[in-house]
C-alpha cells in the first residue's frame, strides 16, 4: 500500500533498546567501507567485544550484536575519521550486491519500480537502521526512512547520510546508469550543512524533517533495468523467503528465552530449558 507524504498512518512502532538484536550483516558493509577509506577495521570495533573474524567470515547466519554495540561502532567511526560527513562516504560504497540475495532479486527485476517493491516487501533483509516505505507526492515518488528505534542525537547524521546515499547508489547500480534526485529531506537539522548537502545530492534539501526521504520523478518506476531476468529474480525471492523464515524462527526463540528470564528475575535458564523452547 502506498500512502501520501505526511499521512499519519505511516508510522513505525519503535522498539526498546533492550529488546533489539542487530544482525551482523548490517555492519559488515560499513566495516568494509571504512577499510576502503583507509581505516582499520579493528579501530572501528574497538571496545565492542566483537571479533574481526565474525565480520570477515562468510558463515554469519547466526551472528548478532546489540544495539549498544552498533552505536559504539558508529561512535568509533566518527572518532577515528573526525569527519561529520563520513556517512555519505560510507553510503557511496554500497552497491545493490551489498544486500546479498535481496540485492540480486532487485537487480534482476524487470523495472526499477518492481525492484523498489521487492526491497520494501523484503525490508528485513536490508538489515538497516530504518524501516522503509513508499509514498506519492504530486508528480514525485518517494522512499521514506523511519526510525525503528530511537537514535542518539550524535549519531543521527551518520545513520541518515549513510542510508540515503546507499539508497541512491543501490538504485543507480540496479538500473546501470545515473538518475536525478528531485528532493531530499533529512532528519538532522544543522542549517550550516544545507549548502553542502544541496551540492552533494544536486537537488533541493530540507533539514530537520521527522523522517528521512528521497524523492524521484514518478517515471523512474517504469525504467527497464539492463540486467532484468524475471526467472532468476523469482528464484532469489524464494531464497529470501527462506532466510526470513529462519530469522523469524530465531527471533521467536530469543523472545521465549527473554520471557523465561523476565518471569523469574535473577534466574537464567539452563541449556536444556533453552533447547526445549
Amino acid at each position: 500500500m502506498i500512502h501520501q507524504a505526511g499521512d499519519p498512518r505511516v508510522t513505525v512502532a519503535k522498539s526498546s533498546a533492550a529488546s533489539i538484536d542487530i544482525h551482523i550483516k548490517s555492519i559488515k558493509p560499513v566495516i568494509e567501507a571504512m577499510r576502503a577509506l583507509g581505516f582499520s577495521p579493528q579501530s572501528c570495533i574497538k571496545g565492542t567485544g566483537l571479533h574481526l573474524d565474525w565480520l570477515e567470515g562468510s558463515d554469519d547466519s547466526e551472528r548478532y550484536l546489540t544495539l549498544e554495540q552498533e552505536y559504539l561502532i558508529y561512535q568509533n567511526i566518527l572518532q577515528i575519521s573526525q569527519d561529520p560527513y563520513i556517512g555519505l562516504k560510507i553510503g557511496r560504497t554500497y552497491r545493490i550486491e551489498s544486500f546479498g540475495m535481496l540485492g540480486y532479486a532487485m537487480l534482476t527485476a524487470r523495472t526499477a519500480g518492481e525492484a523498489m517493491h521487492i526491497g520494501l516487501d523484503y525490508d528485513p533483509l536490508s538489515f538497516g537502521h530504518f524501516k522503509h516505505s513508499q509514498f506519492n507526492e504530486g508528480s514525485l515518488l518517494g522512499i521514506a526512512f523511519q526510525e525503528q528505534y530511537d537514535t542518539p542525537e550524535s549519531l543521527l547524521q551518520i545513520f541518515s547520510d549513510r542510508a540515503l546515499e546507499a539508497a541512491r547508489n543501490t538504485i543507480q547500480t540496479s538500473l546501470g546508469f545515473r538518475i536525478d534526485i528531485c528532493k531530499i529531506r533529512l532528519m538532522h537539522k544543522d542549517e550550516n550543512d544545507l549548502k553542502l548537502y544541496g551540492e552533494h545530492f544536486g537537488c533541493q534539501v530540507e533539514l530537520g524533517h521527522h523522517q528521512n526521504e528521497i524523492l524521484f520523478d514518478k517515471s523512474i518506476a517504469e525504467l527497464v533495468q539492463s540486467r532484468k531476468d524475471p526467472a532468476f529474480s523469482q528464484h532469489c525471492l524464494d531464497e529470501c523467503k527462506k532466510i526470513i523464515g529462519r530469522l523469524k524462527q530465531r527471533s521467536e526463540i530469543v523472545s521465549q528465552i527473554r520471557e523465561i528470564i523476565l518471569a523469574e528475575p535473577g534466574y537464567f535458564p539452563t541449556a536444556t530449558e533453552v533447547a526445549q523452547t
Side-chain angles (χ1 to χ4, degrees):
M1 180 181 294
I2 299 176
H3 295 310
Q4 296 295 321
D7 190 325
R9 293 171 294 176
V10 186
T11 58
V12 173
K14 296 180 183 178
S15 303
S16 64
S19 66
I20 297 167
D21 295 306
I22 310 296
H23 200 286
I24 206 162
K25 285 183 181 290
S26 69
I27 210 67
K28 289 179 76 170
V30 177
I31 300 301
E32 285 306 308
M34 290 299 289
R35 188 202 302 272
L37 291 169
F39 296 98
S40 161
Q42 290 90 338
S43 62
C44 296
I45 63 173
K46 181 180 178 181
T48 63
L50 299 175
H51 297 286
L52 191 57
D53 57 347
W54 295 354
L55 296 164
E56 295 179 334
S58 58
D59 183 18
D60 56 15
S61 59
E62 297 301 321
R63 298 289 187 189
Y64 290 81
L65 60 154
T66 66
L67 188 59
E68 288 80 3
Q69 286 174 313
E70 183 184 40
Y71 285 161
L72 182 53
I73 289 172
Y74 279 92
Q75 289 166 354
N76 288 340
I77 288 172
L78 287 172
Q79 176 63 35
I80 63 177
S81 69
Q82 290 296 297
D83 182 0
Y85 309 107
I86 190 70
L88 295 175
K89 297 174 182 176
I90 293 173
R92 195 179 303 149
T93 68
Y94 276 67
R95 297 291 182 270
I96 193 76
E97 299 90 340
S98 302
F99 298 96
M101 195 62 68
L102 172 61
Y104 288 112
M106 296 171 66
L107 183 67
T108 52
R110 190 180 67 85
T111 65
E114 290 179 8
M116 289 182 190
H117 280 297
I118 289 172
L120 295 173
D121 289 344
Y122 294 84
D123 196 31
L125 296 185
S126 67
F127 299 108
H129 189 79
F130 299 98
K131 172 70 176 177
H132 304 93
S133 59
Q134 190 171 307
F135 64 92
N136 291 322
E137 185 175 304
S139 63
L140 303 181
L141 173 66
I143 301 175
F145 302 72
Q146 299 169 295
E147 289 184 291
Q148 298 190 72
Y149 24 81
D150 290 323
T151 309
E153 189 68 27
S154 62
L155 297 180
L156 186 58
Q157 181 175 4
I158 187 173
F159 272 115
S160 299
D161 290 358
R162 181 203 59 77
L164 266 68
E165 182 66 15
R168 175 169 74 163
N169 265 22
T170 53
I171 292 172
Q172 290 185 160
T173 54
S174 185
L175 283 169
F177 53 84
R178 183 182 178 279
I179 55 173
D180 292 326
I181 300 173
C182 298
K183 190 179 294 184
I184 288 282
R185 296 188 179 112
L186 290 161
M187 295 179 71
H188 53 89
K189 50 191 176 184
D190 187 350
E191 292 297 330
N192 294 325
D193 297 335
L194 193 57
K195 181 179 178 182
L196 182 145
Y197 283 102
E199 292 176 349
H200 178 83
F201 288 108
C203 66
Q204 177 187 344
V205 175
E206 298 174 14
L207 300 176
H209 201 53
H210 69 281
Q211 61 186 13
N212 296 305
E213 297 175 358
I214 184 169
L215 295 94
F216 311 92
D217 188 279
K218 281 184 179 178
S219 61
I220 187 179
E222 302 303 320
L223 294 176
V224 176
Q225 302 200 128
S226 60
R227 287 167 282 191
K228 64 182 184 299
D229 186 338
F232 184 72
S233 183
Q234 184 58 55
H235 167 74
C236 293
L237 289 178
D238 291 340
E239 293 302 313
C240 286
K241 292 174 184 176
K242 295 176 184 178
I243 296 171
I244 286 180
R246 291 196 295 270
L247 292 174
K248 183 178 180 181
Q249 182 181 36
R250 189 265 180 190
S251 178
E252 290 173 349
I253 291 173
V254 170
S255 295
Q256 291 173 23
I257 295 172
R258 186 175 286 117
E259 287 174 6
I260 294 174
I261 296 172
L262 293 176
E264 298 184 53
Y267 172 74
F268 195 81
T270 65
T272 300
E273 289 173 310
V274 170
Q276 292 173 344
T277 59

